[in-house]
Amino acid sequence: MTNIQRAKETEATGEGFLKSIAIDAVIFGFHDNQLKVLLIEYKRTGLFGLPGGFVRVDEDLNTAALRVASERTGLTDIYLEQFYVFGDYSRYDPSRFKTIMTANGQSPTEDHWLLKRFVSVGYYALVDFTKVNLAPAAIFDSCNWYDLNEVPTLIQDHNGIIKKALEALRLSLDNKLTGFNLLPRDFTMGNLQTLYETILGRKLLRPAFQRKMLALGILERVAKKWTGGAHKAPYLYRFVAGKTINSEI
Amino acid sequence: MTNIQRAKETEATGEGFLKSIAIDAVIFGFHDNQLKVLLIEYKRTGLFGLPGGFVRVDEDLNTAALRVASERTGLTDIYLEQFYVFGDYSRYDPSRFKTIMTANGQSPTEDHWLLKRFVSVGYYALVDFTKVNLAPAAIFDSCNWYDLNEVPTLIQDHNGIIKKALEALRLSLDNKLTGFNLLPRDFTMGNLQTLYETILGRKLLRPAFQRKMLALGILERVAKKWTGGAHKAPYLYRFVAGKTINSEI
DNA sequence: TATTATTGTAACATTATGTTACAATAATAA
DNA sequence: TTATTATTGTAACATAATGTTACAATAATA
């Protein structure tokens, strides 16, 4: 995503971008049996927030969301889903952008386009934690994984956005089988179950879970895995794409 | 929603509105055992489309959607749900707005804000057909109910928007019990079942459906109804609000 | 008063899910 | 080398949910 001669967000007029529309991305990863979320830290401000961005005038909205998620993770093939548009007037708070800019020696003009009101399209992304290469978006920030239950206070309504993203993810787990996007190609049934348990926030019964997952017919058993644990080695499974599930509820 | 001294959408600059953001409302009704959708006809153009609108700079996005739906139906208490944001660049087609304006003796300037690209937030609304009073939005259009399987070709991607709204409605039927918003206060089990069958697009088994609905504990049996049919009279039911369903999937 | 069409629901069949139990086995330790 | 340990895979049963058949109840009509 090199945009050498293309417009920058930081230009005052916002030339080249759709006005009033922002994208916020809740990028989920799964590591050490914990759900992680990718957060931005704005340097010299102590402010944290979700990675976000704007839509170029010649760019699809979904493409813009993919670009935002790609820029931070280094991945190109990302499972992305719109989950809500945050458009309350009360979200409007120009002071935050001013703070970030001034903390870095810049002073935006009063009519800077980023000081106007934005409606934000929320996307959640599911990525394979092991494949991600974190990269800051601008010189003003850095980005890192945070455990979902150790998320600091974020700017604006970003804590609420994460909450809503998690709710949407929970619903899509059963309907769309999205969970696999959070795992590496090969995984054990135990991996899968703890992933489900973490997202759903409750324990599941092992035999029932295994029976159900296998009955879906979307898992291919690939090989044994010798973990090094003093116990029977689990099988490795792989998600078999191309099979759609009819979730006739 | 009287906005006497407030800005109008038709002004060239779009002063007072958020730029680049539109709202499209798929307003569903249910009548004669048929799902209906409310469509706008733009006069002297032969063009049909969904009711839509824009967001005022001091207005919540959801409030704007409610305003759009209210203006057409005359209702104030409307079940509304965001279901998708349509943001592909390929949607961009300024000619449509030109056609509608010129058909009515107006000629928008080349830099009219409505000739720019918009991203559209899709909402679906569920209304009690019997309570609706249709009202056109502007002097350029009229609005009417259309049977869902007799929808004409619509402007832009509006046919696709309806399709996606229906898919979202189908999912919410079981999870959120939204169906009742389409029925009058009192209804028979038969009414409810045909509503479900119409939305889901398939037949349901009567005993199982009745058993399930009653088991939900959200229906109050109010009285007998004497329809005039040569058969046993059905009970009337009423939706008992306040009871939330835990759709632990 | 018999007929008709539809309603309400019981009763059973089937499927899905919850739960208990136990054999299989990779690593560790005796 | 062999017993121990912790975990895995799954059978087997229990319970709940859903699918299906059947039939009595009854409001209007003939």
Side-chain angles (χ1 to χ4, degrees):
Chain A
M1 288 290 157
T2 53
N3 306 302
I4 299 164
Q5 70 281 67
R6 299 181 79 180
K8 288 262 163 58
E9 292 93 328
T10 44
E11 282 175 20
T13 60
E15 183 75 26
F17 291 95
L18 293 186
K19 305 300 180 292
S20 321
I21 298 176
I23 285 170
D24 282 316
V26 183
I27 302 174
F28 288 113
F30 190 66
H31 191 61
D32 288 338
N33 287 340
Q34 288 289 346
L35 256 188
K36 309 276 186 181
V37 62
L38 213 166
L39 296 178
I40 298 293
E41 179 171 8
Y42 299 98
K43 285 179 182 164
R44 286 179 285 279
T45 62
L47 296 179
F48 293 85
L50 289 169
F54 306 95
V55 187
R56 296 187 182 277
V57 289
D58 58 355
E59 182 182 45
D60 292 346
L61 178 70
N62 290 339
T63 307
L66 182 60
R67 174 172 52 78
V68 168
S70 293
E71 283 169 359
R72 303 308 186 291
T73 60
L75 303 175
T76 52
D77 207 20
I78 298 179
Y79 182 87
L80 266 175
E81 193 115 357
Q82 285 184 19
F83 66 94
Y84 198 71
V85 187
F86 300 86
D88 278 4
Y89 178 75
S90 60
R91 307 177 75 243
Y92 179 37
D93 174 21
S95 67
R96 164 189 53 113
F97 177 61
K98 275 186 196 160
T99 305
I100 294 167
M101 290 293 272
T102 54
N104 290 277
Q106 313 244 341
S107 50
T109 56
E110 280 303 312
D111 62 345
H112 195 290
W113 79 300
L114 293 180
L115 293 175
K116 299 227 168 70
R117 178 182 164 201
F118 278 82
V119 161
S120 190
V121 183
Y123 282 82
Y124 68 81
L126 306 182
V127 299
D128 178 350
F129 185 93
T130 61
K131 289 211 180 121
V132 170
N133 284 308
L134 294 181
I139 50 170
F140 303 153
D141 61 52
S142 63
C143 68
N144 273 105
W145 289 111
Y146 289 80
D147 203 292
L148 197 58
N149 35 42
E150 288 169 11
V151 170
T153 301
L154 307 178
I155 55 169
Q156 248 182 330
D157 54 352
H158 287 198
N159 291 89
I161 292 179
I162 292 178
K163 193 171 165 229
K164 199 134 187 165
L166 187 60
E167 288 167 11
L169 174 57
R170 273 180 191 156
L171 288 178
S172 78
L173 251 197
D174 278 283
N175 294 332
K176 302 182 185 171
L177 280 331
T178 53
F180 302 98
N181 296 292
L182 285 163
L183 292 173
R185 195 187 57 170
D186 298 343
F187 49 87
T188 67
M189 196 56 78
N191 294 150
L192 189 60
Q193 186 175 340
T194 43
L195 171 64
Y196 268 68
E197 289 176 339
T198 310
I199 293 174
L200 296 175
R202 62 189 169 92
K203 286 283 169 193
L204 301 173
L205 292 160
R206 196 171 55 87
F209 181 79
Q210 170 134 341
R211 188 201 314 138
K212 190 170 182 177
M213 284 297 143
L214 292 179
L216 288 172
I218 53 167
L219 293 184
E220 184 189 4
R221 186 178 279 181
V222 284
K224 290 270 183 178
K225 177 194 181 189
W226 293 271
T227 47
H231 52 77
K232 181 174 178 179
Y235 286 103
L236 281 182
Y237 294 91
R238 194 175 292 172
F239 178 68
V240 182
K243 300 202 182 180
T244 321
I245 304 307
N246 51 339
S247 61
E248 291 281 349
I249 301 175
Chain B
M1 287 293 157
T2 55
N3 306 301
I4 299 164
Q5 70 281 65
R6 300 180 79 180
K8 288 262 163 56
E9 289 94 328
T10 43
E11 282 174 20
T13 59
E15 184 74 27
F17 291 95
L18 292 186
K19 305 299 181 291
S20 322
I21 299 176
I23 285 171
D24 283 316
V26 183
I27 302 174
F28 287 114
F30 190 67
H31 190 61
D32 287 338
N33 286 339
Q34 288 288 347
L35 255 188
K36 311 275 186 181
V37 64
L38 211 165
L39 297 178
I40 299 292
E41 180 171 7
Y42 298 97
K43 286 179 182 163
R44 287 180 284 280
T45 61
L47 295 180
F48 293 84
L50 290 169
F54 306 96
V55 187
R56 295 187 183 277
V57 288
D58 58 355
E59 184 182 42
D60 291 347
L61 178 70
N62 289 341
T63 307
L66 182 59
R67 173 171 55 77
V68 168
S70 295
E71 282 169 358
R72 304 307 187 291
T73 60
L75 303 175
T76 52
D77 206 20
I78 298 180
Y79 182 87
L80 267 175
E81 192 114 359
Q82 285 184 19
F83 66 93
Y84 197 71
V85 187
F86 299 87
D88 277 6
Y89 177 75
S90 60
R91 304 178 77 244
Y92 179 38
D93 174 19
S95 67
R96 164 189 54 113
F97 177 63
K98 276 186 195 159
T99 305
I100 293 167
M101 290 293 272
T102 54
N104 290 277
Q106 313 244 343
S107 51
T109 55
E110 280 303 313
D111 63 344
H112 195 290
W113 79 300
L114 292 180
L115 294 175
K116 299 227 166 70
R117 179 184 164 200
F118 279 82
V119 161
S120 191
V121 183
Y123 281 82
Y124 68 80
L126 306 182
V127 299
D128 177 352
F129 185 93
T130 62
K131 289 214 180 116
V132 170
N133 285 308
L134 294 180
I139 50 171
F140 304 153
D141 63 51
S142 64
C143 69
N144 274 104
W145 289 112
Y146 288 80
D147 202 293
L148 196 59
N149 34 43
E150 288 169 11
V151 170
T153 300
L154 307 178
I155 56 170
Q156 248 182 330
D157 54 351
H158 286 196
N159 291 89
I161 291 180
I162 292 178
K163 193 173 165 226
K164 199 133 185 168
L166 186 61
E167 287 168 10
L169 173 58
R170 273 181 190 155
L171 287 178
S172 78
L173 251 198
D174 278 282
N175 293 333
K176 301 183 186 171
L177 281 330
T178 53
F180 301 97
N181 297 291
L182 285 163
L183 292 173
R185 196 189 54 170
D186 298 343
F187 49 86
T188 68
M189 195 57 78
N191 295 149
L192 188 60
Q193 187 176 339
T194 43
L195 171 63
Y196 268 68
E197 289 177 339
T198 310
I199 294 174
L200 296 175
R202 63 189 169 93
K203 287 281 169 198
L204 302 173
L205 291 161
R206 197 171 56 86
F209 181 78
Q210 171 134 341
R211 190 203 311 140
K212 189 170 181 176
M213 282 298 143
L214 293 179
L216 289 173
I218 53 167
L219 293 184
E220 183 189 5
R221 186 178 280 180
V222 282
K224 290 271 182 178
K225 178 194 182 187
W226 292 272
T227 44
H231 53 76
K232 181 174 177 177
Y235 287 103
L236 281 182
Y237 294 91
R238 196 176 290 172
F239 178 69
V240 182
K243 301 202 181 180
T244 321
I245 304 306
N246 51 338
S247 62
E248 292 282 348
I249 301 175

